[in-house]
Amino acid sequence: MSRKIVCLPGDGIGPEVLDGARTVLEAADERFGLGLSFESQDFGGIAIDKHGDPFPDSTRAACQGADAVLLGAVGGPKWEGGEVRPEQGLLALRKTLGTFANLRPITLFEGLEHLSPLKEDRAAGIDLLIVRELTGGIYFGKRQEGETHATDECAYSAEEVERVARIAFKAAQGRSGRLTSVDKANVLASSRLWRRVVVRMQAEEFPDVTLDHMLVDAMAMKLIEAPAWFDVILTENMFGDILSDEASVLAGSIGLAPSASLGDGVGIYEPIHGSAPDIAGQGKANPLGMILSAAMMLRHSLDAADAADAIEAAVQAHLASSARTADLGGTAGTGETAEAVAARLSE
């Protein structure tokens, strides 16, 4: 059975890290017989240059017909300030595929404690998962913008909260059974709805999961004070955007952080770093965030958990060696790193 992976290399270092992920996926395919096939499409800034659209119809059709989508990175100074921007393609992609939940695991790998901005004893043991609602809230609400007044509406329905909370509860069941729901229920009506829905779901559907609530400002502090205490964190779109970026630096490098965007159909998998145009084309980028995103793809979209586990173990073994990329204090290149992880899969 063939499994079609649509690759969106995008801009900056996107093509380099995605090539690295393909190298590792091809090694996994050879070992586990996954039946993977790959198709590349234009997306982001390069698609604006070629097609005048960051998400052309041909790319849209390919993504809709895929089993999963791998995305490198989009954006760069070349397209800043234009009427058509690469980031508009991201929103359109998520809307087209209905990916309403963003999963961002944050793991501090053993031996990298000294790279975290936190003291080593406080950083040790960080292993958490942030589940962020992705298609509602203030980013998608009604807005008005004028010279002297502007409004952005934050709106949620109970159904929108339920579907993303269900993913978070199920993730907690597969981990340590603890879920922290983050809101601003002391101020916002949308947060009070959010909390009511989550409380009801825990009582009716997930009584085996321990549920805690935390206000978003307190959560921002606790992620620094005691990050290892958290397991699964559930929150709405804007809060999740901010908290996941804060949490990403705790593991030593944003280059290690993967993500998955899931819904009822095709999933999107991408590292959380940007396009880093300052190092594009130099072979310096860390491909491990993209490779770990590919592992998430195997687990969540392709029902290939064994292959995903093997890739994650190969990444961990590689990080235990001295051959690291510049962001981790080493000199290894992008391709060299990907080849090393692929070789460990083949051993």
Side-chain angles (χ1 to χ4, degrees):
M1 180 180 68
S2 177
R3 293 164 167 176
K4 178 183 173 183
I5 313 303
V6 168
C7 299
L8 307 178
D11 312 312
I13 62 172
E16 299 168 67
V17 297
L18 204 148
D19 280 349
R22 281 191 60 167
T23 296
V24 173
L25 283 170
E26 287 165 357
D29 193 9
E30 184 173 343
R31 174 176 166 182
F32 291 95
L34 302 174
L36 303 182
S37 66
F38 300 92
E39 174 185 325
S40 291
Q41 293 286 336
D42 294 329
F43 185 72
I46 190 172
I48 293 173
D49 291 346
K50 289 185 177 181
H51 310 277
D53 184 345
F55 189 34
D57 290 344
S58 55
T59 301
R60 186 187 305 268
C63 291
Q64 290 174 314
D67 291 293
V69 172
L70 279 179
L71 170 61
V74 297
K78 179 179 180 180
W79 302 281
E80 289 178 0
E83 289 187 11
V84 181
R85 301 183 305 279
E87 293 76 14
Q88 292 170 331
L90 280 176
L91 295 179
L93 175 64
R94 292 167 183 168
K95 183 176 181 180
T96 297
L97 299 183
T99 54
F100 56 80
N102 182 243
L103 278 61
R104 288 193 179 185
I106 307 294
T107 304
L108 180 59
F109 291 97
E110 186 176 353
L112 300 186
E113 291 85 357
H114 66 289
L115 295 177
S116 174
L118 302 181
K119 293 181 179 179
E120 291 189 27
D121 60 339
R122 183 172 292 185
I126 295 175
D127 182 14
L128 58 89
L129 173 67
I130 296 176
V131 180
R132 166 193 171 192
E133 201 286 324
L134 200 58
T135 57
I138 199 167
Y139 293 162
F140 289 87
K142 297 177 182 178
R143 63 191 55 185
Q144 294 179 336
E145 186 171 356
E147 292 299 320
T148 60
H149 181 80
T151 302
D152 293 286
E153 180 186 65
C154 181
Y156 272 108
S157 68
E159 181 183 5
E160 287 176 311
V161 180
E162 286 173 0
R163 63 185 186 178
V164 69
R166 188 165 286 112
I167 286 178
F169 274 115
K170 289 181 177 179
Q173 285 178 323
R175 291 169 59 97
S176 70
R178 290 190 298 111
L179 176 65
T180 302
S181 179
V182 178
D183 57 41
K184 191 65 175 171
N186 59 335
V187 175
L188 301 177
S190 57
S191 281
R192 287 191 286 274
L193 171 69
W194 182 283
R195 186 174 293 204
R196 288 196 301 271
V197 171
V198 172
V199 167
R200 173 177 55 77
M201 291 181 68
Q202 191 269 343
E204 295 178 355
E205 299 182 46
F206 303 97
D208 56 326
V209 175
T210 300
L211 174 63
D212 298 297
H213 302 277
M214 191 164 290
L215 299 177
V216 63
D217 42 350
M219 184 71 201
M221 293 187 291
K222 289 295 183 182
L223 270 178
I224 302 302
E225 291 179 347
W229 185 86
F230 295 99
D231 184 34
V232 179
I233 298 168
L234 166 68
T235 192
E236 59 97 66
N237 203 342
M238 184 173 69
F239 297 161
D241 191 1
I242 296 166
L243 291 174
S244 57
D245 280 359
E246 178 191 8
S248 69
V249 303
L250 301 180
S253 171
I254 198 171
L256 295 173
S259 79
S261 296
L262 308 178
D264 297 322
V266 181
I268 307 165
Y269 300 87
E270 60 181 308
I272 75 168
H273 61 66
S275 61
D278 56 320
I279 60 169
Q282 301 175 38
K284 295 180 179 179
N286 187 344
L288 295 181
M290 183 81 254
I291 291 168
L292 291 169
S293 298
M296 293 184 77
M297 175 191 74
L298 295 178
R299 177 174 291 111
H300 293 288
S301 286
L302 303 185
D303 194 26
D306 289 348
D309 290 343
I311 289 176
E312 289 165 352
V315 168
Q316 187 160 358
H318 174 74
L319 287 170
S321 73
S322 59
R324 299 173 182 168
T325 46
D327 58 311
L328 301 176
T331 59
T334 309
E336 177 187 354
T337 299
E339 292 287 353
V341 174
R344 291 182 184 277
L345 273 178
S346 304
E347 291 175 354

